Amino acid sequence: MHAPVLDTEATTAIGASGPLAPLQRVVSLLNRIMVVLAAFALVAACLILSYSVAGRALFKAANYWQDEAAVFLLVGATFMTAAYVQEHRGHVSIEAFVGLMSPLANKIRLWLVDVASFLFCAFFTWKSWTLTHEAWVDGQVSNSMWSPPLAIPYGLMAAGMTLLCLQMLLQIVAPLTGARR
């Protein structure tokens, strides 16, 4: 009785038919590739942090690069997989109104939320690319002794947000072309 009402319209990806299907298949493939790469990045971050802890505890070794490398990997994994999560409607959503509204009202609600989310993410993407460009042009580096270029995490953030915006745009345009969500 207390389980959330499933919004089946919202949990399925764009259908295999329709004019957007080829583009959605390409984006889906890219999303799956990013998930695999993110899994490797997470494992690498775990190994790096474990090495850092062991190195400090056992050998009193300084860790100039380990924490920052792990953060870069985690930032990349987080942002580069956001489109995959969006494709499967895995982002946090409030389902309190799903059971109270008609199916048409739910479709409209979902579409309006997608548009609002896209507008926010598009702004975030634009600012991320601006930040990446500034870091690249100015040669900005982190404050640590390792001093890696900040264009790396900013670029991962911008690329991930771009992929997320493309996924959201596909989900916004799909109902307008008659494709099944």
Side-chain angles (χ1 to χ4, degrees):
M1 296 299 286
H2 298 288
V5 179
L6 292 179
D7 188 356
T8 55
E9 291 290 323
T11 57
T12 56
I14 296 173
S17 63
L20 297 177
L23 181 57
Q24 181 60 50
R25 281 192 292 273
V26 170
V27 172
S28 291
L29 176 63
L30 189 55
N31 287 340
R32 287 192 303 272
I33 291 169
M34 290 302 121
V35 166
V36 170
L37 293 175
F40 284 117
L42 291 176
V43 169
C46 289
L47 292 173
I48 288 169
L49 290 174
S50 297
Y51 168 76
S52 172
V53 170
R56 273 184 291 179
L58 299 175
F59 308 114
K60 307 290 188 237
N63 60 348
Y64 298 119
W65 61 272
Q66 290 95 336
D67 291 342
E68 219 158 16
V71 168
F72 282 22
L73 289 167
L74 293 173
V75 166
T78 301
F79 281 97
M80 295 304 289
T81 58
Y84 176 85
V85 175
Q86 178 63 30
E87 178 182 358
H88 296 283
R89 295 290 185 173
H91 288 288
V92 175
S93 65
I94 299 172
E95 298 176 355
F97 297 111
V98 173
L100 301 174
M101 300 172 77
S102 70
L104 177 61
N106 271 324
K107 285 182 184 180
I108 294 169
R109 173 195 58 84
L110 183 62
W111 190 81
L112 290 173
V113 167
D114 283 349
V115 169
S117 298
F118 172 76
L119 291 173
F120 171 79
C121 288
F123 176 76
F124 192 99
T125 301
W126 170 64
K127 293 304 284 180
S128 296
W129 281 115
T130 303
L131 192 62
T132 302
H133 180 262
E134 287 175 8
W136 180 267
V137 169
D138 296 343
Q140 296 175 6
V141 296
S142 72
N143 295 352
S144 70
M145 286 182 69
W146 183 36
S147 301
L150 289 175
I152 295 171
Y154 296 161
L156 290 169
M157 183 173 60
M161 289 304 294
T162 300
L163 193 55
L164 177 60
C165 282
L166 179 59
Q167 180 63 50
M168 293 178 97
L169 192 58
L170 284 169
Q171 290 173 336
I172 289 168
V173 175
L176 304 176
T177 63
R180 188 177 62 81
R181 275 186 174 271

